[in-house]
Amino acid sequence: MSSGFASGEEQWRARLGTLRQVVRQEVVARQLEAHLPDEPSRSVLDVGCGQGTQAVRLARRGHRVTGLDSSARLLGDLQSALEAEAPEVRERVRAVRGDAERLTDVFGPSSFDAVLCHGVLMYFSDPGPLLDAVAQVVAPGGTVSLLVRNGDALAMRPGLLGDWESAGQAFDGASYLNRIGVAARADRLDDLTAALAGRGLSVREWYGVRVFTDAAASDAPVPGHEELGALLASEERAGRTDPYRRVAALLHVIAVRE
């Protein structure tokens, strides 16, 4: 993860099992399934992998995953999670400690069939160098999955929470203070699409994430199995359907390197 995230790391870890985080991880995983079919030969890089939720899920499906993160604590959480997995799953995951912005110092050009970069770009005031690096390490024909804060709907959360000052500022701005107390930055879909195109990455699909649950309390618990299933089904459908996906808190953008 980026250095900007470090001050909020403990808050992030404390909220991993809450409703908002469970919805994010589950919906993103379901959206990825259509673009990363179960092919054991695929090599995936997860930039800013954190505790490794997506890395472990992909390894269960047969992918070989390298998780890169600068946090020793979060990589330790990943290793702990892997200890509960079957040996063949553990063998498919490699954890590497390093900074996202130094990605190309660690991995060579066209090293991976797919690159994930989820919840990372928002902590960089200038995302250009990281996008350059992602475009370099993904192989031709490979898939890039980005999860960013939705700049086109930045006023939604403060508005729904009745924070009118922040909502007013968000209409024309790109910066915000997130739930873990860290200053962050949002991306607008058209701008991100253009930035990716300039790097040889063509957007194939995009989704919204947390359409209905983003304004939930930070410590809101996960409901029972039946209610959670219905909630996730609604979130997943809204995330691929206009106009709902356009007001989601997060954008999940899938691009392919030409």
Side-chain angles (χ1 to χ4, degrees), residues 35-182:
H35 303 280
L36 295 180
D38 296 349
E39 299 175 4
S41 63
R42 292 183 67 86
S43 175
V44 180
L45 172 64
D46 189 352
V47 180
C49 65
Q51 72 286 347
T53 302
Q54 297 300 327
V56 172
R57 292 185 69 136
L58 288 170
R60 289 173 184 162
R61 293 172 50 205
H63 299 290
R64 293 176 288 109
V65 186
T66 298
L68 175 74
D69 205 284
S70 60
S71 169
R73 187 73 178 272
L74 289 172
L75 289 177
D77 291 341
L78 168 57
Q79 294 293 351
S80 296
L82 287 171
E83 290 174 5
E85 298 293 325
E88 61 270 21
V89 174
R90 293 198 299 269
E91 292 169 0
R92 296 188 193 113
V93 179
R94 176 171 65 121
V96 177
R97 189 176 181 188
D99 297 325
E101 57 265 45
R102 301 182 65 85
L103 186 59
T104 54
D105 293 342
V106 182
F107 307 108
S110 304
S111 298
F112 298 93
D113 299 311
V115 177
L116 279 53
C117 189
H118 294 169
V120 178
L121 287 179
M122 59 188 64
Y123 295 107
F124 288 86
S125 58
D126 178 10
L130 181 52
L131 289 176
D132 289 339
V134 167
Q136 289 180 48
V137 299
V138 68
T143 299
V144 171
S145 168
L146 303 175
L147 186 68
V148 302
R149 182 68 190 273
N150 182 7
D152 293 316
L154 195 55
M156 284 295 295
R157 182 193 298 169
L160 290 172
L161 294 174
D163 181 356
W164 306 119
E165 180 179 357
S166 297
Q169 294 171 351
F171 282 113
D172 300 311
S175 61
Y176 65 101
L177 187 69
N178 66 16
R179 288 282 190 103
I180 58 173
V182 179

